[in-house]
Amino acid sequence: MTLLPIGAEAYFILNHILRKGVSTLVELTRQGCYLIGGQIVPQAGAQGVETPDTAREKTIAYRILRAHDKGIDKKAMRITFDALISHDITFVGIIQTARASGLCAFPLPYAMTNCHNSLCAVGGTINEDDHVFGLSAAIKYGGIYVPPNQAVIHQYARECLAGCGSMLLGSDSHTRYGSYGCMGIGEGGGELVKQLLKNTYDLPAPEVVLVYLTGAPRHGVGPHDVALALVAAIFPNGDVKNKVLEFAGPGIANLSADFRIGIDVMTTETSCLTSIWQTDEMIEHYYQSVGRPQAYHRLAPEEGAYYDGVVSIDLGAVESMIALPFHPSKAVTIHALQQNPEALLRQAEESCNQQLGKRVHLDLLRILKNGCVLCDQGIIVGCSGGMYDNIMEAAAILDGKSIGNGYFDLSVYPSSTPISLAITKNGAAERLMLAGAVLKPAFCGPCFGAGDTPANNTFSIRHATRNFANREGSKPSDGQIAAVALMDARSIAATAINGGELTAATDIDYTVPDIPYEYDGGVYERRVYNGYGSPRPQEALRLGPNIKDWPAMPMLGEDLLLRLCAVIHDEVTTTDELIPSGETSSYRSHPIRLSGFALSRRYPQYVDNARRVLAMENERQVGQTPQEAKAALDKLGGSLERATIGSCIFARKPGDGSAREQAASCQKVLGGFANICYEYATKRYRSNCINWGIVPFTIDKGTSFDLADGDYIFIPGLRRAIANGIENIPAKALCSDGRVGDLPLRCAGLTHKERLILQEGCLINYYAAGHAE
């Protein structure tokens, strides 16, 4: 094996690690390997083994995938899931889409949690209106409704839905339950609609990468430390993009169930498709403890299983980590940052300000005082941070101490009511509160800017999943900016007892409490509505004034005329930039109002640009002549009679982050018909585009034609090309200065179903046209 090249963008400074004596923190081999006798054997040296395609079927991943694959082509999977789950940013749109497409009843368990817009102080009644809508939908269609603040989406799934050998689809990118033996996939709402209408989730048969764990974590090292080291090592080069991570190895036995899921939930940040782990007595005990012993089955790779690559992690070599703004992959050891704070903070500051496009200025060096890094806020929250073990160790570190009465503050959000009950009964909650921490209910808000938004130009350390720019709630348009760094709960607590001075948990003395988690699901039994299998079709949906149906979506014409309305040259464009989270998500049930926030924190002129193009298409639809579009078509050789007029976004690599379909649906509501990029950051964003009738074009990085805001692109015969599966599609571009040039576009890898959706204009139209299977 060779040490993984880290890449400049990751800030994972290898020489610092080497100075600390950790020479092989994370290793990667990109060549195929077999697992034989518990040992990793490179493909080139393996004797008497089966072919990779045959031996890949021996992985845990493929045994589960094949059990759910309804297709006949081994290279093209058609998956049906065992359960679905959504939260209150996504479930209204999903049900409205399914309802418009002929939904009668939920054909499989579908849980709707209310953990993202639980704060009902923004937007009047609209958040609680959506919660009431969710309950009425659960009653009408036979679903599961989890009231606000009872559990974050993924903790409810872990406690009540996951099972060994099962598959679960969620409309949230961190749908990961692999350490419990359940393959979770996070996708946009359109893919859940397909399952609700008894369709399939289609994907090429994925590659599988083995994550081989050895050793045991050091005292003070938590799951976020391991996760950040993993993400920093394999995200920058896209080594596992759209692949399955399969965890095995002797090190797993040294990890608690909470520790495992704390690593697993962060695999989303590697850009992998999903994850799965070998299971053992620890997971068997977990299912017994939550009252579902029947959900446990032993899972392990078969002898001679083949993997397309291997990531090896010595758990004992992992140190306390910190991911600097603005990505989980920008991770260094806390000790490295303490040893060279000015250089690393300056490097991060320069990169951040470049990413912000000079709209606001982040001053990271302000947190450096007398050679020490001072933090302003600590947050332990959500599906990664709010786990029982994390909170118990944080409470042990804080026991008998104080966070002080200065600028630093600390909030702790248990991820479910059963966890809150457990820490209340065993005294951990008391220890946290006596130290000055504030205990809050189950809520995902701080993770995406709907709670605990830090002050302007401050530095927040969080055990949460993401630290993207402005995701914490700041508004650059109002001159605001803040910075979030990711850390494990243990080091956040260690920092807290030092008044906000950055401290690694490995550097303090504390005793890990031996108090097992005592799960009490009584509150779920009393408060969660479970109507699966018992729909009540006579029940009326309760529609608040902010809940609106999707507007009519036009079909794709024979030709397509696009006007570029945003051109973004950032290395990666996140879904939080495409459609900001936070208070904007309060309008997620009103498609037109929500669309007004599209790209508002990254490219504010986009909405006005797109609306201008939509107005031209509306004119064309009623037989009028939009003069600007006609003039462009005259120069490009097209006609208004054949060409749909649509808006378009160019970004180098769009779609990293959330599974929220609004990143694509808002473009469509504004008249979007295509995206152009070098590559899509995630499968889920590309799928969202397709399901909303947005053609996912790519171009080569070396293309000679420079694209700019306001340019027109004409694609003759596009409808026929998509129908016939033509992947290389010629187009012409018209620049604002009148120049015309060729622009070779590519639209590769579309399935038959996806081609039909694009021709019809969106998934709703696809079902309305009678294409349902």
Side-chain angles (χ1 to χ4, degrees), residues 549-569:
D549 290 330
W550 293 105
M553 308 286 183
M555 294 176 61
L556 179 65
E558 295 301 323
D559 304 336
L560 180 60
L561 177 68
L562 297 171
R563 186 184 188 276
L564 281 169
C565 293
V567 175
I568 303 171
H569 290 289

Side-chain angles (χ1 to χ4, degrees), residues 69 84 92 145 208 257 274 276 291 296 319 345 348 374 380 407 418 443 468 474 602 608 644 665 674 697:
D69 183 6
L84 308 177
V92 176
Y145 175 82
V208 184
T274 184
I276 193 67
Y296 174 75
E319 297 190 44
L345 289 175
L374 296 183
I380 300 170
Y407 286 106
F443 181 40
F468 296 166
S474 59
R602 178 60 187 87
D608 287 341
T644 303
S665 66
F697 289 122

Side-chain angles (χ1 to χ4, degrees), residues 91-93 95-96 99 112 114 125-141 145 527 536-549 588-589:
F91 66 61
V92 176
I95 293 168
Q96 290 288 70
R99 177 173 162 239
M112 292 168 280
N114 294 272
T125 69
I126 58 180
N127 287 332
E128 188 60 18
D129 289 345
D130 282 2
H131 300 159
V132 170
F133 172 90
L135 178 55
S136 70
I139 296 171
K140 183 179 184 67
Y141 299 115
Y145 175 82
R527 287 293 297 132
R536 290 158 55 180
Q538 72 279 5
E539 179 78 13
L541 291 175
R542 295 184 60 174
L543 300 166
N546 190 62
I547 299 175
K548 302 297 182 183
D549 290 330
R588 73 271 179 196
S589 303

Side-chain angles (χ1 to χ4, degrees), residues 497-524:
I497 63 174
N498 286 326
E501 182 179 327
L502 183 68
T503 306
T506 52
D507 292 341
I508 64 170
D509 183 29
Y510 71 98
T511 301
V512 178
D514 185 17
I515 307 175
Y517 177 35
E518 293 187 8
Y519 172 83
D520 181 351
V523 67
Y524 290 159

